[in-house]
Structure formats: C-alpha cells, structure tokens
Amino acid sequence: MTTQHDPQLLGAYVLGALDEQEVRQMDEHLASCPECARELGELRDMEAFLGEVPPEAMLDGPPEGGDLLLQRTLRQVRAERGGVARRRQFALGAAAAVVAALVLGAGVFVGKATSPDATVALPTPTVAPDPAGTKLATFTDPTTKASMTVKVVPAAGWVRTNMAISGIPEGEKCRIFVVAKDGSRQEAGSWVVSKKGAAEGTNLDGSALVDPKDVKSVVVENFAGKKFVEVPVQA
C-alpha cells in the first residue's frame, strides 16, 4: 500500500508513534515525495529545540505551570511510546496537534531562538475590518449611571451584537434587547451581573432576528422590567 501525503502520519512518524509496517511505508513515501521530506526536516528541527522556547513565546501568555502546548504534547507522546502498549489513537491525535500548531501557529513562535537573548518573532494577528453597515454607539443613562458601548454587525436578515456594559449592580439578572423601528424587540442575550462585572463591567456577545436596516436601539433591563440603559444606534 502506498502512503499518501498526510500531515498527521508525518507528525506521528517524527514522534515515533507508528508501527513497523507504517514506518516502512512512510520511508518509501518519503523517498519519492520532496514535499514530505522537507516537512520532515522542519518537524525534526522543531522537536529538537522546543525545550529552548521561553514561555513568553505564547501569544496569549504561558498556561498555568509555564509549559508550552507543544512541550506538553511531546512529553505526553514520549511517555506513551515508552510504555508496553502504544495507544495509537492518542499518538496520532497528539501528532496532529503538533502539525497543526506548526502550520497554523497555534499560539507559539515563528522562527528559532539561537541564544538566551535572541528575540522571538511573534506572528502579527490579522484583524478583519468590520462589514459595511456596522454601527457603533455609546450612551450613559443619566439616572441609573449605567453605561453601554454597543456594536451592531449586519448579517443576512439579522444582526450580531457586542456590548461592553458597566454601572449595573451585582446580582441583577438582566436581558439585552435589540429594538426595531416599529417598536418590536428581540432578545439578544441575558446574564447575571457578577461582583467583578459590577466593579469592572461586562462584555457580552449576542444576536437578534432584526433586519439590520430596522435596528433602532439596544436596551438593557432586568427581569422585572427596570431599564438600566438604552443606546440609540439608528443611522
């Protein structure tokens, strides 16, 4: 059987997670596939210097304990292949995680640090622009002192919403409504204000079945009907 180009199998090959027959098949495939041979070299280089990568290389900060995703994955796989029974399913899944992280840059570095003082190059995240028709508005209610900044993003006959809300007391059970021009309302979400939310504010995402052209405002009120803040978003 001819081994096809498969990044998961290639990762498992590097980590020693394939059986003898699969290793032979992969050896034959590598001899005739320059692309896989190139990827194999890159994966082996990556495995060799993973231990040198500082926790600061994580885009979102190091996880608890300071370990990188790939370091943890490699440790698990090495432990697995040292046992009497190899759990093939786990090994392939872990290998896939390694390959995906290398290809997609899943929270790790790009480039190799050559000394303790070397600069680790991090990928620059790409932020897609908001779609045409997106509305952004802010309002603070003079009576309740509650404040909300809302973004309304148009979709096909409905809207997505993102709200940054502050000034609502702890323990309040609240609803968010998108109000149409005809006065009808569609609920876009609900939550209970936590202690942290009362002190620092809350950020929420939601959606509502209101045509983007008909959106008039976004309102927050509690379950008893008390309105805390309403932000006009009509163009």
Side-chain angles (χ1 to χ4, degrees):
M1 180 180 70
T2 301
T3 300
Q4 301 298 319
H5 181 79
D6 187 336
Q8 294 188 20
L9 286 177
L10 188 60
Y13 178 84
V14 172
L15 299 175
L18 299 180
D19 59 33
E20 293 182 2
Q21 180 179 356
E22 290 169 326
V23 170
R24 288 195 298 271
Q25 292 170 350
M26 183 58 73
D27 286 338
E28 294 174 0
H29 178 68
L30 287 168
S32 60
C33 181
E35 183 180 358
C36 281
R38 176 183 56 78
E39 292 181 7
L40 175 65
E42 293 175 354
L43 287 172
R44 282 179 169 162
D45 286 344
M46 182 66 70
E47 184 183 16
F49 67 78
L50 275 175
E52 303 172 7
V53 180
E56 293 87 334
M58 292 294 290
L59 288 179
D60 297 324
E64 186 175 355
D67 283 344
L68 294 175
L69 167 65
L70 296 185
Q71 287 175 316
R72 296 200 306 270
T73 303
L74 288 171
R75 257 203 318 276
Q76 287 179 282
V77 174
R78 286 169 182 148
E80 287 291 320
R81 71 187 182 193
V84 176
R86 294 176 178 173
R87 291 197 289 269
R88 172 182 165 83
Q89 183 176 3
F90 168 84
L92 284 176
V98 173
V99 174
L102 296 180
V103 175
L104 300 177
V108 292
F109 64 97
V110 173
K112 178 177 178 179
T114 56
S115 72
D117 297 324
T119 300
V120 178
L122 299 177
T124 301
T126 301
V127 179
D130 291 327
T134 297
K135 299 175 182 178
L136 184 66
T138 300
F139 185 73
T140 299
D141 189 283
T143 301
T144 66
K145 306 305 180 183
S147 179
M148 177 166 61
T149 297
V150 62
K151 178 191 285 189
V152 179
V153 181
W158 55 286
V159 293
R160 299 182 179 91
T161 57
N162 176 263
M163 290 76 57
I165 307 165
S166 61
I168 300 179
E170 178 184 357
E172 288 283 1
K173 298 179 180 179
C174 296
R175 289 191 177 105
I176 301 168
F177 293 96
V178 175
V179 183
K181 294 177 182 178
D182 63 3
S184 61
R185 309 194 310 172
Q186 295 293 330
E187 186 171 340
S190 59
W191 87 106
V192 177
V193 180
S194 65
K195 181 177 181 179
K196 182 177 180 180
E200 302 177 10
T202 303
N203 190 279
L204 300 168
D205 291 308
S207 61
L209 190 58
V210 178
D211 191 288
K213 301 187 300 295
D214 293 335
V215 175
K216 178 182 178 182
S217 63
V218 178
V219 60
V220 175
E221 61 183 46
N222 64 15
F223 277 50
K226 176 183 177 179
K227 183 171 72 175
F228 286 103
V229 61
E230 182 171 8
V231 180
V233 295
Q234 186 176 2

